[in-house]
Amino acid sequence: MSRRNTDATAQVVNVHACPVREVLDRVAGKWSVQILVAASHGPIRFTELERGIEGISRRMLTLTLRNLERDGLVTRTVYPTVPPRVEYGLTPVALELHETLLRLTDWAERNRGYIAQARAAYDAEHQPELLDA
Amino acid sequence: MSRRNTDATAQVVNVHACPVREVLDRVAGKWSVQILVAASHGPIRFTELERGIEGISRRMLTLTLRNLERDGLVTRTVYPTVPPRVEYGLTPVALELHETLLRLTDWAERNRGYIAQARAAYDAEHQPELLDA
DNA sequence: CGGCATCCCGAAGGATACTG
DNA sequence: CAGTATCCTTCGGGATGCCG
């Protein structure tokens, strides 16, 4: 799988459509945000991330970290010791992003109940006939 | 924060309670945000959304609208005329969400160049052999 | 310890066609 | 106009194994 695609047709599609989507694509991954949150308190090691983020696989942790690093959001520092030691930290830009994510957190917490209620009401209204067979 | 130890990871253990992921799951769909943005200026019709959001399929427009409606973010108003007329609008809660999304937009616009540059640098550093051929 | 390579599955979403 | 229904492809991501 080559990320670098020289094929012109691949770029024909409107890649840079909406800036909102642009940022969401960057954070939409299942684990990106949790990694950003975990690293927002200071440098953190690979294994610490792995243990701290419940349910993440080693593969996805690596992949997500690589993507974040590629986007200039995460720094990777290798200490050539034995055993090896690698620490991940957030760049200033990522810290800014983390700030705005806190706004979203706030919204989610304030309206979590409202949404759950809306869902229940919608489901009750639109799925009553599932009981028949 | 000179004290970096298990304290950092201990705060991340509660993953499923993470409200950030909760809101992101709700908005992570490919079209959700664009619909919210399009409807943020006032009630908008189905076809207007379809034409306004480039690339969206009729199917996904319907599905995404249903999910947003289910979560209490979008209102659906049917006018029993001929031909039928359906208007979609945002609830107050969704308008709040839209506000916070604007912060993300702002971040994306301010740092879009930085990220593009970081990507280019990363790719140049990690795949140099593709340049020569 | 901190990865990368491989296989595989389910869900998201595109294409197309039909309808009240 | 505003949807539904069906089929099909893509791909994110889980499981597992090996390696410096």
Side-chain angles (χ1 to χ4, degrees):
Chain A
M1 152 183 163
S2 66
R3 245 186 283 104
R4 178 95 48 78
N5 195 348
T6 50
D7 188 3
T9 57
Q11 303 182 3
V12 171
V13 211
N14 54 344
V15 179
H16 47 4
C18 174
V20 191
R21 265 246 56 84
E22 199 174 309
V23 62
L24 281 176
D25 285 340
R26 194 150 289 108
V27 158
K30 189 173 179 180
W31 307 104
S32 304
V33 175
Q34 298 184 55
I35 289 179
L36 290 178
V37 171
S40 65
H41 306 297
I44 187 171
R45 298 183 61 174
F46 185 89
T47 309
E48 289 177 333
L49 283 168
E50 191 179 8
R51 281 181 307 213
I53 303 177
E54 187 168 4
I56 195 172
S57 64
R58 191 162 277 162
R59 170 185 137 87
M60 286 316 296
L61 178 55
T62 303
L63 279 181
T64 309
L65 282 172
R66 286 295 167 274
N67 285 329
L68 291 174
E69 185 192 358
R70 189 167 103 102
D71 288 344
L73 299 180
V74 154
T75 60
R76 180 172 180 268
T77 312
V78 181
Y79 300 93
T81 61
V82 175
R85 176 190 190 86
V86 180
E87 283 189 350
Y88 292 92
L90 298 193
T91 64
V93 168
L95 283 172
E96 271 185 56
L97 172 60
H98 180 252
E99 283 292 318
T100 76
L101 288 179
L102 290 183
R103 313 280 184 166
L104 277 187
T105 310
D106 187 51
W107 178 89
E109 280 174 346
R110 280 186 289 107
N111 302 109
R112 139 187 293 175
Y114 166 84
I115 291 176
Q117 194 175 336
R119 279 202 183 204
Y122 184 96
D123 291 348
E125 177 110 357
H126 291 77
Q127 312 267 349
E129 62 288 334
L130 283 185
L131 297 176
D132 297 343
Chain B
M1 51 186 71
S2 57
R3 181 157 172 251
R4 174 196 25 75
N5 49 21
T6 51
D7 284 347
T9 59
Q11 302 180 16
V12 200
V13 175
N14 244 344
V15 167
H16 303 289
C18 180
V20 191
R21 265 248 56 86
E22 199 175 306
V23 61
L24 281 176
D25 284 340
R26 194 150 289 106
V27 159
K30 190 173 180 179
W31 307 106
S32 304
V33 175
Q34 298 185 52
I35 289 179
L36 289 178
V37 170
S40 65
H41 306 296
I44 187 172
R45 299 183 59 174
F46 186 89
T47 310
E48 290 177 331
L49 283 168
E50 190 178 8
R51 281 180 307 210
I53 303 177
E54 188 168 2
I56 195 172
S57 66
R58 191 161 277 161
R59 171 185 135 86
M60 286 315 296
L61 179 54
T62 303
L63 279 181
T64 310
L65 282 172
R66 288 293 169 276
N67 284 329
L68 291 174
E69 186 192 357
R70 189 166 104 102
D71 287 345
L73 299 180
V74 153
T75 60
R76 181 172 178 268
T77 312
V78 182
Y79 299 92
T81 61
V82 176
R85 176 190 190 86
V86 180
E87 283 189 351
Y88 292 93
L90 297 193
T91 64
V93 168
L95 283 173
E96 269 186 56
L97 172 60
H98 180 251
E99 283 293 319
T100 76
L101 288 178
L102 289 184
R103 313 279 184 167
L104 276 187
T105 310
D106 186 51
W107 178 88
E109 280 173 347
R110 280 186 289 108
N111 301 108
R112 139 186 293 176
Y114 166 84
I115 291 176
Q117 194 175 338
R119 280 204 182 203
Y122 184 95
D123 291 348
E125 175 109 358
H126 293 256
Q127 311 275 345
E129 58 292 349
L130 289 184
L131 294 177
D132 301 332

